[in-house]
Amino acid sequence: MTTAYTADSIKVLKGLDGVRMRPAMYVQGGTGVDGYHQLLTEIIDNAVDEALAGHADEIEVVLEKDGSAAVSDNGRGIPVGIMASEGKPAIEVIFTQLHAGGKFDSESYKVSGGLHGVGSSVVNALSTYLQADVWQNGIKHRIRFERGEVVEPVHEIGAAPKGHSGSKVSFRPDPAIFKDVPDGFDHARMKRRLKELAYLTGGVKIILEDHRHTEVRRDVFHETGGVAAFAESLVRDEKRLYPEAIRIGDSVTIDQDGKPETIEVEVGLLHTHGYGQTILTYANLITNRDGGTHLTGFKTAYTRVLNTYAKNKNLLKKGEATPTGDDYLEGIACVISVKLGDPQFESQAKVKLLNPEAQSAVQSVVYERLTELLEENPKTGKTIIEKAASAARAREAARKARDLVRRANPLENDELPGKLADCQSQDPAVSEIYIVEGDSAGGSAKQGRERRFQAILPLRGKILNVEKANLGKILKNAEIRAMIAAIGAGVEGTGDDAHFDLADVRYHRIIIMTDADVDGSHIRTLLLTFFYRYMRPLIDAGYLYIAQPPLYGVKIGRQKEMQYLFDEAALQKVLKEHRGKNIEIQRFKGLGEMNPEQLWTTTMDPESRVLLRVTIDDMLEASETFEMLMGTEVPPRREFIEDNAHKARLDL
Ligand code: 1YM
């Protein structure tokens, strides 16, 4: 990775033409919020690469009031020398020509994510200005561009502080291109990514400063503990089965078409009292939501080591169910990170890693290191096997409980839960089910609905918190059984016989309808948690929605029609616009206070209702969110629920 770089070894393939005309072709995420952030990510990735190559140990990101961002590192500095082939300074080529980067030479490649080397010039092309400062050999250099064109060629602007080298890139995404991004860089999103990078780089100090508020916000991430510390950060102390995460790290050199290639493998693993599993996978610091070969390699080795260990140490009781691979995974928090030369992904979104060599590398490293670690730590080994044995017992109990649920064939109407008012349509593509909080709202919804395609399932009170119970207990809960039977596709879960079949889902719109208050938010969260843990394909398919009941109904002056308002801000606006005037305000404390006709017009009529589709963009965030929402700390939970109760889109 530390191949010496001379300015003229950079390959130049193409000019910048067209990037401004067709930005979406060059930026993953297009000209929306994702593409906008991708610009900053790209510049950060260059700094991260310099750190991973061992030349920098500090990176700073500053968000400015004018919408610009600045990224700096203390590496070697972007090369400013003249490139023989181009007759231009390398830095100018890097920022003005597509595909200028060392990444296409097999021996010098980019480790972190980004746009595969087209990045720097694309960022430049799509920015109102971009300025790069470089400290090198005692001199400070500067180059400046506007909308991709050089306006100040590289020149010396002074001396560098003694012994200091590095780069600083400041730029402002062009609002003319990113028209739909009024809010600039998202603080929370950047913070999360930088924190993640700090763990994944294991020791690079990463600073985030936000200058957009009266008080400067500053976060410093310095995570010397690597992915093991990352795994620990996912689990509160009292939930751990042992205090410190198991850390596995090694590299494997293989022969790749006659050339040696080194694959670095790092795994952090911690077992908890919980029942779910959180496994985060990364290839070259890019998150892979759907896992891939590294995950397969991990699971194979992990199960094999534990099976062998349990057998050799006689840790399983005779006559009891032997743990399966899934039993061993129950309650784990795990972070897997691999770094390899030429990562291949299933799609542009890089959600799944495909390289077979990653599988064999992870498998052999985990096999060897985990075997050693268990020999050295017999107490931890015993704890892990006991946890898996108890998962196996729970799985057996769950199977018995599930058989009871299965016996009710959900396709035959008389076997459906008694409380369900089913729709007439048998076609899932047009059928909807409203899962409604409380019997009284359920009653209004039943009267107000369009029965041809809308089914209503009222739930009584709070449903079980599935984060705190195992599948056996969950399947005994009446409200949950009613949902499973109505939806008709089973449940996911640990154990080979537990499965959810998307093809059997009876409604392609499953709509959660709860009151617009804190209790309603809580019930909604419990339901989301249940769907996330046990019917996840439903969310991936885009079948899960949240209804938006109004908070207020107002009649202004002599108007006959009631106008419905969905949040406090809308009410304030109306009050301001019609100051002093004659306004009748009705506040809906719950769904039950609306009559069937009101409920239909505001919340159920496909012509006028607003539904939020539930999506999972980020596994880490989703898991953290549920952990936080369902955990024991009350204040952050309240705040989150209240802050997010009326967001236009629910990103989990
Ligand atoms: C704030 C962003 O871009 N830092 C940075 C970039 C480069 C280097 C060092 C660098 C790399 C190499 C040799 C090498 C880049 N170099 C190139 C290119 N920070 C930031 N720091 N010397 C300096 O990869 O061998 C592109 S970026 F193309 F020259 F390799």
Side-chain angles (χ1 to χ4, degrees):
M1 241 182 290
T2 50
T3 315
Y5 223 98
T6 54
D8 53 26
S9 71
I10 297 163
K11 288 185 181 161
V12 178
L13 300 177
K14 232 174 158 186
L16 258 194
D17 309 349
V19 178
R20 284 182 67 86
M21 268 161 67
R22 290 208 185 82
M25 276 186 57
Y26 297 89
V27 183
Q28 196 197 319
T31 54
V33 175
D34 288 346
Y36 188 94
H37 285 84
Q38 188 62 43
L39 301 192
L40 182 50
T41 300
E42 174 61 35
I43 302 297
I44 293 170
D45 284 348
N46 288 337
V48 167
D49 276 336
E50 185 66 357
L52 289 177
H55 301 291
D57 61 7
E58 198 169 310
I59 296 170
E60 189 177 52
V61 178
V62 181
L63 308 178
E64 297 288 2
K65 268 208 170 77
D66 67 353
S68 69
V71 183
S72 27
D73 68 57
N74 60 350
R76 291 166 294 177
I78 303 170
V80 292
I82 300 285
M83 256 175 93
S85 61
E86 291 292 300
K88 283 180 187 171
I91 191 166
E92 185 180 321
V93 176
I94 289 166
F95 282 106
T96 54
Q97 314 227 6
L98 283 174
H99 289 202
K103 296 90 205 177
F104 297 92
D105 288 349
S106 53
E107 66 265 60
S108 77
Y109 60 81
K110 196 172 150 105
V111 173
S112 54
L115 303 170
H116 280 303
V118 295
S120 305
S121 56
V122 170
V123 177
N124 187 23
L126 301 178
S127 297
T128 50
Y129 77 87
L130 182 147
Q131 179 169 295
D133 288 345
V134 173
W135 293 262
Q136 222 166 43
N137 305 324
I139 296 166
K140 183 177 181 184
H141 311 260
R142 172 168 292 174
I143 186 166
R144 192 178 165 91
F145 309 85
E146 284 175 13
R147 294 183 179 78
E149 313 242 337
V150 183
V151 291
E152 283 176 37
V154 68
H155 56 291
E156 298 183 5
I157 57 165
K162 205 167 188 298
H164 178 72
S165 66
S167 314
K168 175 178 175 180
V169 174
S170 320
F171 68 99
R172 178 172 174 262
D174 193 339
I177 304 230
F178 297 92
K179 290 190 196 74
D180 305 325
V181 190
D183 298 332
F185 293 109
D186 178 340
H187 183 91
R189 178 173 176 154
M190 290 320 300
K191 187 171 162 178
R192 197 169 61 237
R193 175 62 181 158
L194 293 177
K195 189 172 177 193
E196 185 178 65
L197 282 174
Y199 283 118
L200 294 169
T201 53
V204 179
K205 186 170 168 184
I206 304 182
I207 299 160
L208 173 64
E209 267 192 24
D210 194 334
H211 291 182
R212 297 173 298 179
H213 310 274
T214 30
E215 260 174 56
V216 172
R217 293 193 203 169
R218 184 179 158 91
D219 292 285
V220 180
F221 306 109
H222 193 201
E223 306 292 353
T224 48
V227 297
F230 196 170
E232 285 166 7
S233 78
L234 301 173
V235 188
R236 287 192 309 276
D237 286 357
E238 71 271 16
K239 279 193 79 178
R240 300 179 189 177
L241 284 177
Y242 43 90
E244 279 176 27
I246 295 171
R247 71 183 62 225
I248 295 170
D250 212 340
S251 57
V252 177
T253 302
I254 55 156
D255 179 290
Q256 188 82 326
D257 304 323
K259 281 189 204 152
E261 192 196 311
T262 301
I263 301 166
E264 286 178 51
V265 178
E266 274 185 277
V267 178
L269 172 66
L270 188 56
H271 287 74
T272 76
H273 291 287
Y275 303 102
Q277 34 170 294
T278 300
I279 306 181
L280 306 177
T281 49
Y282 297 86
N284 291 9
L285 315 200
I286 307 163
T287 179
N288 315 120
R289 204 181 78 176
D290 293 347
T293 47
H294 43 3
L295 179 60
T296 312
F298 167 78
K299 285 188 177 172
T300 310
Y302 173 79
T303 311
R304 226 174 259 172
V305 171
L306 291 177
N307 264 333
T308 312
Y309 184 80
K311 211 194 253 161
N312 291 349
K313 305 281 169 190
N314 262 324
L315 292 173
L316 295 172
K317 291 202 189 83
K318 291 223 165 61
E320 275 201 329
T322 349
T324 63
D326 277 330
D327 293 331
Y328 285 116
L329 293 169
E330 187 181 277
I332 71 164
C334 179
V335 180
I336 302 168
S337 167
V338 296
K339 295 185 188 120
L340 69 170
D342 181 24
Q344 303 288 323
F345 299 98
E346 193 177 78
S347 67
Q348 267 294 99
K350 303 185 178 143
V351 291
K352 193 169 182 183
L353 183 70
L354 298 177
N355 303 56
E357 70 272 22
Q359 179 166 336
S360 44
V362 175
Q363 198 165 314
S364 69
V365 168
V366 171
Y367 194 90
E368 279 170 33
R369 296 291 302 128
L370 190 60
T371 305
E372 282 170 24
L373 282 164
L374 293 178
E375 285 301 330
E376 290 159 15
N377 301 282
K379 226 176 111 189
T380 306
K382 193 163 173 242
T383 308
I384 295 173
I385 304 298
E386 277 168 3
K387 167 80 183 170
S390 111
R393 282 192 296 274
R395 176 168 51 79
E396 269 301 294
R399 189 181 55 74
K400 287 178 189 149
R402 196 167 33 244
D403 283 348
L404 288 174
V405 180
R406 285 253 174 87
R407 215 166 294 150
N409 176 356
L411 292 173
E412 280 172 39
N413 261 341
D414 58 350
E415 307 275 18
L416 286 169
K419 296 193 299 176
L420 174 76
D422 208 3
C423 56
Q424 290 162 346
S425 168
Q426 300 269 7
D427 177 5
V430 300
S431 302
E432 309 181 342
I433 183 170
Y434 275 83
I435 296 175
V436 186
E437 169 185 359
D439 284 335
S440 88
S444 296
K446 279 180 194 177
Q447 289 176 50
R449 70 177 170 148
E450 170 54 85
R451 68 172 60 238
R452 275 186 300 122
F453 64 94
Q454 290 180 324
I456 309 292
L457 180 68
L459 296 182
R460 189 168 306 135
K462 297 223 162 144
I463 74 152
L464 185 76
N465 182 350
V466 298
E467 289 289 89
K468 292 187 181 154
N470 66 31
L471 192 58
K473 190 167 167 208
I474 290 167
L475 292 175
K476 284 198 187 113
N477 180 274
E479 310 302 303
I480 285 180
R481 285 174 63 149
M483 282 193 292
I484 298 170
I487 291 167
V491 279
E492 284 198 313
T494 49
D496 299 333
D497 56 338
H499 87 281
F500 178 85
D501 206 335
L502 195 63
D504 290 338
V505 170
R506 300 176 64 240
Y507 315 90
H508 285 188
R509 285 210 180 86
I510 292 165
I511 303 162
I512 298 175
M513 184 158 77
T514 57
D515 288 345
D517 60 9
V518 173
D519 264 359
S521 302
H522 191 211
I523 293 171
R524 181 170 65 218
T525 308
L526 291 169
L527 287 168
L528 287 172
T529 310
F530 168 72
F531 286 116
Y532 175 73
R533 294 287 183 213
Y534 293 100
M535 295 193 185
R536 168 84 185 275
L538 206 75
I539 303 181
D540 292 335
Y543 291 175
L544 190 62
Y545 296 83
I546 291 172
Q548 290 276 81
L551 270 185
Y552 300 100
V554 295
K555 271 190 196 160
I556 300 159
R558 261 177 258 169
Q559 278 176 12
K560 279 218 182 89
E561 291 278 299
M562 189 174 260
Q563 196 180 324
Y564 297 100
L565 305 173
F566 292 83
D567 56 24
E568 196 59 43
L571 179 68
Q572 291 310 328
K573 198 166 160 237
V574 169
L575 290 178
K576 215 169 151 189
E577 277 167 17
H578 304 274
R579 208 194 303 262
K581 270 205 249 121
N582 178 10
I583 305 183
E584 184 191 321
I585 305 173
Q586 186 182 355
R587 186 187 148 86
F588 302 115
K589 290 212 197 67
L591 296 163
E593 293 189 3
M594 275 182 268
N595 64 37
E597 197 194 311
Q598 283 177 322
L599 199 56
W600 163 257
T601 339
T602 59
T603 321
M604 298 176 72
D605 179 0
E607 297 278 305
S608 51
R609 70 185 177 193
V610 179
L611 295 182
L612 309 184
R613 176 181 272 161
V614 178
T615 62
I616 304 174
D617 283 348
D618 183 320
M619 269 295 293
L620 169 63
E621 200 194 351
S623 263
E624 271 184 353
T625 305
F626 285 122
E627 170 78 13
M628 190 261 290
L629 289 171
M630 298 288 97
T632 44
E633 280 173 76
V634 175
R637 183 162 79 216
R638 273 277 136 113
E639 205 174 291
F640 179 90
I641 291 173
E642 283 160 14
D643 281 359
N644 290 279
H646 278 279
K647 278 219 172 135
R649 190 172 100 117
L650 198 79
D651 290 322
L652 288 177

